[in-house]
């Protein structure tokens, strides 16, 4: 991999690792500047918005880092009903967010997946009727590891993007933050299934996990390239007090914020035409983290649109940011970017891939 920036070329693992280990502000600024140029050239200065609707916090997984893990009995569980999901989605559409993401804890129960598929279909149909000139709401799903037939059902219902983070490409590190029943190989198989089914596929990692090294982050970048991803969502690991990982004795070796910005920048430089999110987790760390994420090369923001009464129950980590969507739009514009309203904002990488692989994007 060759990453060109600031007259320098990062061509090796050694140089990338050194960059992650450096705490020199000018080095971070240089890689961000180069990534920003690269973004302007390949995906313009436009920032797409995805209304994030957290439809349920019931979860059968027991990830050692996650606040909605099955074992956390301190939280109030909820599940939005179908009508609430549809009306929240249509509200997003009215605000000009023509793309939404339905996210939930993992639940492979066939009946629940069938209900989500029906809801996806209803959202597609109703949003198209609301504005027949346009293609309706684009739908991304983030429901975890499902079976092939379930991914297929959801795809046929009209969802066309799927986000499933690998969390880390290091199998040992993965296993150390998940119970033995949650396997690295299964996650990988799911990502391949999603691609096979023609989804625009997004993955990502957490940054700054206990025991995670700069070499791990280099390997993550290699992993994304190899997998030929269309979208990336990467964010800092933020400990949640009611999880086992928060009590880990393994040290955090990287500064999660600086490393996350460097990861965004290096991902942009090495995969110029994909969509990269300035994640919600990143935005919790500093007041200007949204702008910094964009300046590092991110071109997507996912404002939380979950209905107010249940929003506080979906705590993957502490201090989740709260901000009215209009403020996010204003800040994007104030930072010198065009808010990408009233369009789906597909990653150019996917559009090209879909054309060459004959995937046929369902509209
Ligand atoms: N069940 C779905 C979506 C919910 S979790 C799925 O598996 O995709 C969404 C993401 O939140 C996870 O993939 C993880 O990367 C992130 N996350 C969970 N706990 C976190 C924490 N403590 N700090 C930072 N990110 C976290």
């Amino acid at each position: 991999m060759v990453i060109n920036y600031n007259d320098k070329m990062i061509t090796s693992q050694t140089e990338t690792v050194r960059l992650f280990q450096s705490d020199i502000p000018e080095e971070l600024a240089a890689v961000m500047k180069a990534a920003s140029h690269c973004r302007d050239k390949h995906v313009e200065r436009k920032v797409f918005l995805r209304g994030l609707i957290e439809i349920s916090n019931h979860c059968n997984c027991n990830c050692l880092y996650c606040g909605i893990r099955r074992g956390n009995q301190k939280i109030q569980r909820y599940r939005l009903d179908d009508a609430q999901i549809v009306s929240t989605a249509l509200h997003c559409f009215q605000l000009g967010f023509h793309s939404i993401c339905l996210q939930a804890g993992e639940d492979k129960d066939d009946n629940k997946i069938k209900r989500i598929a029906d809801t996806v279909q209803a959202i597609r149909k109703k949003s198209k009727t609301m504005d027949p000139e346009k293609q309706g709401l684009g739908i991304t799903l983030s429901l975890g590891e499902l079976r092939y037939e379930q991914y297929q059902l959801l795809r046929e219902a009209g969802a066309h993007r799927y986000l499933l983070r690998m969390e880390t490409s290091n199998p040992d590190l993965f296993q150390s933050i998940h119970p033995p029943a949650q396997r690295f190989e299964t996650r990988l198989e799911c990502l391949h299934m999603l691609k096979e089914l023609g989804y625009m596929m997004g993955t990502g990692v957490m940054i700054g996990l206990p025991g995670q090294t700069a070499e791990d982050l280099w390997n993550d970048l290699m992993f994304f390239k190899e997998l030929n991803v269309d979208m990336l969502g990467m964010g800092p690991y933020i400990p949640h007090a009611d999880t086992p990982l928060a009590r880990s004795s393994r040290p955090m070796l990287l500064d999660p914020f600086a490393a996350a910005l460097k990861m965004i920048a290096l991902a942009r430089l090495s995969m110029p035409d994909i969509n990269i999110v300035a994640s919600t987790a990143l935005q919790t760390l500093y007041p200007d983290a949204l702008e910094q994420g964009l300046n590092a090369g991110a071109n997507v923001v996912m404002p939380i649109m979950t209905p107010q009464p249940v929003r506080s129950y979906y705590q993957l980590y502490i201090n989740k940011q709260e901000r009215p969507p209009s403020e996010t739009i204003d800040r994007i514009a104030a930072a010198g970017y065009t808010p990408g309203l009233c369009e789906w904002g597909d990653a150019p990488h996917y559009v090209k891939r879909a054309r060459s692989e004959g995937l046929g994007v369902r509209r």
Side-chain angles (χ1 to χ4, degrees), residues 65 67 72 74 238-247 316-318:
Y65 46 85
N72 185 6
K74 289 196 186 163
I238 305 173
H240 184 300
D242 300 320
T243 61
L245 199 63
R247 296 183 287 277
L316 306 173
Y317 43 81
I318 44 157

Side-chain angles (χ1 to χ4, degrees), residues 88-109:
T88 310
L90 297 181
H91 174 59
C92 291
F93 193 62
Q94 278 161 341
L95 290 177
F97 298 174
H98 280 202
S99 172
I100 53 164
C101 174
L102 305 181
Q103 190 178 84
E106 200 171 293
D107 193 342
K108 288 190 200 5
D109 176 77

Side-chain angles (χ1 to χ4, degrees), residues 144-191:
E145 294 172 6
L146 303 179
R147 290 190 294 277
Y148 186 88
E149 307 75 52
Q150 296 178 319
Y151 286 141
Q152 190 170 30
L153 182 76
L154 293 162
R155 177 88 180 96
E156 282 165 5
H160 81 292
R161 300 182 186 146
Y162 204 103
L163 295 174
L164 179 64
R165 287 191 182 177
M166 197 64 219
E167 315 302 358
T168 168
S169 63
N170 175 341
D172 294 331
L173 184 59
F174 182 97
Q175 253 12 112
S176 77
I177 59 170
H178 295 100
Q182 289 176 238
R183 293 175 48 248
F184 182 84
E185 292 74 22
T186 313
R187 182 74 51 110
L188 202 52
E189 280 160 20
C190 286
L191 290 174

Side-chain angles (χ1 to χ4, degrees), residues 5 13 89 107 111 143 174 201 220 227 229 248 294 314 328:
Y5 85 94
Q13 176 172 7
D107 193 342
N111 293 327
L143 307 171
F174 182 97
M201 191 265 279
D220 291 340
L227 200 61
V229 299
S248 164
L294 299 179
Y314 199 90
T328 303

Side-chain angles (χ1 to χ4, degrees), residues 5-6 61 88-90 92 113 134 147 207 232 238 254 283 294 314 326 334 346:
Y5 85 94
N6 210 28
C61 293
T88 310
L90 297 181
C92 291
I113 298 299
K134 295 264 180 183
R147 290 190 294 277
I207 297 160
L232 276 181
I238 305 173
L254 300 159
Q283 293 179 54
L294 299 179
Y314 199 90
S326 57
D346 286 342

